């Protein structure tokens, strides 16, 4: 099993050693992983099946665009049924959308192995950089960009009554890092899978406690009324309960062996993507009228998101280089640092502000731009590998020279 798991992430340990310089920290990381013995197999099983970018993931932007067209068409052609579906609510939670979001989120959370937290000290510099960016920089920089563009540069072209809602949606989008697609991005940059897994597990643990306070603080600073009761219910409904159920399912599957976990994740992945796309169809069915009246809204909402992702990724990558972090860690670090947990953002926006809100639309735009922008970051990380390793090697030598 260990040999099979090693192939999923770029070949065997011996092959990965040949692919890097003699003294590269990647070789050390591989030897360290090998020394962990059986734990490597369990950790790799946590990630599930081969984290290569699949057909649906590769063309996610196209599917989202198709969902936009389909949703708007349904909203215009079948206004009665769409309205009736929108009224199926309990405590401001739309029941069809809530069910879809659970189907969307739970398979992602089954992948997470909190046992990987014991590996945090193996990559403490990369972990530290990513935590700094994810929780102390990214949410606040997105709030700043939202104020600059939504309340400033683009305000005259956006509906005045939705400005606060758009800002709120952008804040929700940046308030938590991605937990699923980052495994794909890590594999595409030949990243260390054990760093990626331990970083995602740590982020998920922090998210349980930090998501609501960060969102509440930034909404308050933006002079947006914070519905604390609804926000806390959203955290319980879309983080705590799904995470608990996912970990229970994970334990039951692993009791039957790692192959059972991998097989279950393969079966659940299409359902997760289908639930995401169905959620988007419903969202745009409710958003169709405003979008037809102002089609440039999506483009204007995309501007701060694209700027945020690219600048945060570049800053994280640069900081890792200055600290001498290995490239196999810096690549995933930059991508996790720049990523957004858009599934959670969509769910929270719907719960807090409603299906037809500008906040829900803003989070959906995050889904629209996620794949092409992150693939561009992957490309940048790969083509700058030599430049990065020269600088990182120099940074590692400086303390010894001093």
């Amino acid at each position: 099993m260990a040999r099979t798991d090693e192939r999923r992430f770029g070949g065997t340990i011996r092959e990965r050693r040949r692919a890097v310089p003699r003294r590269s920290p990647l070789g050390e990381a591989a030897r360290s992983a090998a020394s962990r013995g059986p734990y490597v197999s369990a950790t790799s099983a946590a990630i599930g099946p081969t984290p290569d970018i699949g057909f649906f993931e590769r063309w996610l932007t196209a599917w989202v665009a198709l969902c936009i067209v389909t949703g708007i068409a349904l909203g215009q052609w079948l206004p009665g049924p769409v309205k009736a579906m929108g009224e199926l609510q309990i405590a401001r939670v739309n029941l069809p959308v809530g069910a879809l979001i659970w189907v969307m989120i739970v398979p992602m959370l089954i992948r997470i192995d909190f046992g990987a937290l014991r590996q945090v000290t193996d990559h403490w510099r990369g972990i530290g950089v990513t935590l700094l960016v994810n929780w102390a920089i990214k949410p606040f920089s997105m709030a700043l960009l939202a104020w600059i563009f939504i309340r400033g540069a683009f305000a005259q072209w956006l509906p005045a009554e939705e400005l606060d809602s758009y800002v709120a949606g952008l804040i929700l989008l940046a308030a938590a890092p991605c937990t699923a697609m980052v495994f794909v991005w890590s594999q595409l940059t030949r990243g260390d899978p054990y760093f990626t897994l331990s970083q995602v597990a740590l982020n998920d643990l922090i998210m349980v406690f930090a998501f609501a306070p960060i969102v509440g603080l930034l909404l308050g600073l933006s002079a947006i009324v914070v519905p604390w009761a609804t926000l806390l219910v959203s955290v319980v409904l879309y983080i705590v309960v799904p995470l608990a159920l996912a970990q229970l399912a994970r334990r039951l599957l692993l009791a039957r062996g790692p192959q059972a976990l991998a097989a279950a994740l393969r079966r659940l992945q299409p359902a997760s993507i289908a639930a995401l796309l169905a959620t988007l169809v419903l969202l745009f069915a409710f958003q169709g009228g405003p979008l037809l009246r102002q089609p440039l809204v999506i483009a204007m909402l995309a501007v701060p998101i694209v700027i945020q992702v690219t600048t945060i990724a570049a800053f994280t990558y640069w900081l890792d280089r200055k600290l001498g972090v290995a490239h196999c860690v810096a690549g995933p670090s930059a991508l996790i640092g720049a990523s957004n947990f858009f599934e959670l953002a969509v769910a929270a926006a719907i719960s807090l502000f409603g299906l037809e809100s500008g906040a829900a639309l803003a989070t959906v735009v995050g889904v629209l731009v996620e794949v092409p922008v992150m693939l561009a970051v992957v490309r940048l990380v790969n083509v700058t590998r030599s430049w990065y390793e020269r600088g990182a090697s120099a940074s590692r030598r400086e303390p010894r020279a001093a």
Side-chain angles (χ1 to χ4, degrees):
M1 181 65 190
R3 182 172 298 275
T4 299
D5 290 332
E6 288 164 353
R7 290 195 187 103
R8 288 174 180 159
F9 302 104
T12 63
I13 290 173
R14 185 179 295 108
E15 289 167 347
R16 292 178 69 186
R17 285 178 183 170
R18 290 200 298 265
V20 295
R22 172 186 289 270
R23 298 180 64 86
S24 168
L26 176 55
E28 295 300 321
R31 286 187 287 275
S32 175
S35 70
R36 285 192 283 267
Y39 181 68
V40 170
S41 181
T43 298
S44 296
I47 302 173
T50 305
D52 198 4
I53 191 163
F55 177 74
F56 278 100
E57 292 91 343
R58 183 178 299 278
W59 299 102
L60 183 58
T61 298
W63 303 129
V64 172
L66 182 61
C67 288
I68 293 175
V69 175
T70 303
I72 292 175
L74 288 175
Q76 299 302 302
W77 296 340
L78 302 171
V82 169
K83 182 179 179 181
M85 189 171 292
E87 293 173 350
L88 296 174
Q89 297 186 19
I90 295 178
R92 294 194 66 182
V93 175
N94 182 270
L95 297 181
V97 173
L100 288 170
I101 287 172
W102 270 45
V103 175
M104 179 171 57
I105 290 178
V106 169
M108 302 174 188
L109 298 178
I110 292 176
R111 294 175 180 270
I112 305 306
D113 178 12
F114 285 105
L117 291 175
R118 72 189 72 179
Q119 301 182 62
V120 165
T121 56
D122 293 350
H123 306 289
W124 64 271
R125 284 178 297 183
I127 294 282
V129 168
T130 315
L131 289 179
L132 172 70
V133 170
N134 275 152
W135 300 105
I137 296 177
K138 185 161 70 78
F140 300 91
S141 62
M142 179 59 93
L144 177 61
L145 289 170
W147 297 335
I148 291 172
F149 287 99
I150 304 305
R151 286 184 170 170
F154 299 151
Q156 60 181 315
W157 296 291
L158 294 169
E161 68 277 7
E162 291 288 357
L163 293 181
D164 285 350
S165 191
Y166 293 145
V167 171
L170 293 174
I171 288 172
L172 287 167
L173 187 64
C178 181
T179 65
M181 287 293 286
V182 289
F183 291 111
V184 175
W185 311 139
S186 175
Q187 193 269 343
L188 291 177
T189 59
R190 288 186 286 168
D192 187 320
Y194 309 107
F195 164 78
T196 305
L197 183 61
S198 56
Q199 179 70 73
V200 169
L202 185 57
N203 273 338
D204 275 20
L205 183 63
I206 294 173
M207 181 169 57
V208 172
F209 303 100
F211 181 77
I214 288 175
V215 169
L217 173 63
L218 291 175
L219 292 181
L221 291 175
S222 303
I224 299 171
V225 175
V226 182
W228 276 105
T230 308
L231 179 57
L232 294 175
V233 168
S234 296
V235 171
V236 172
L237 193 61
Y238 297 121
I239 299 178
V240 178
V241 175
L243 189 59
L245 292 176
Q247 290 301 300
L248 176 61
R250 176 190 169 76
R251 285 179 177 273
L252 294 175
L253 288 166
L254 280 176
R256 296 160 48 194
Q259 296 89 344
L261 174 62
L265 287 172
R266 279 195 298 271
R267 290 193 299 268
L268 289 171
Q269 180 68 9
S272 180
I273 296 173
L276 169 63
L277 299 180
T279 302
L280 299 183
V281 170
L282 287 180
L283 286 175
F284 282 101
F286 287 98
Q287 297 277 357
L291 285 177
L292 290 175
R293 290 191 296 270
Q294 292 183 301
L296 291 178
V297 168
I298 289 179
M300 287 185 280
L301 289 172
V303 170
I305 298 173
V306 172
I307 293 175
Q308 162 89 347
V309 171
T310 52
T311 55
I312 288 294
F315 172 76
T316 308
Y317 194 54
W318 170 83
L319 187 55
D320 280 324
R321 184 175 185 260
K322 293 295 290 184
L323 294 176
V325 176
H327 188 270
C328 63
V329 170
S333 173
L335 290 155
I336 295 171
S339 68
N340 299 309
F341 193 171
F342 55 75
E343 297 89 352
L344 173 61
V346 170
I350 293 170
S351 294
L352 292 171
F353 302 100
L355 269 168
E356 301 180 57
S357 65
L361 177 61
T363 58
V364 169
V365 174
V367 184
L368 182 64
V369 302
E370 173 92 359
V371 172
V373 175
M374 294 301 276
L375 284 175
V377 174
V378 166
R379 171 68 175 167
L380 180 64
V381 167
N382 286 334
V383 300
T384 60
R385 183 183 298 270
S386 297
W387 168 84
Y388 180 95
E389 290 177 343
R390 287 195 301 272
S393 297
S395 298
R396 287 192 291 269
R397 287 195 299 269
E398 286 174 2
R400 292 195 292 270

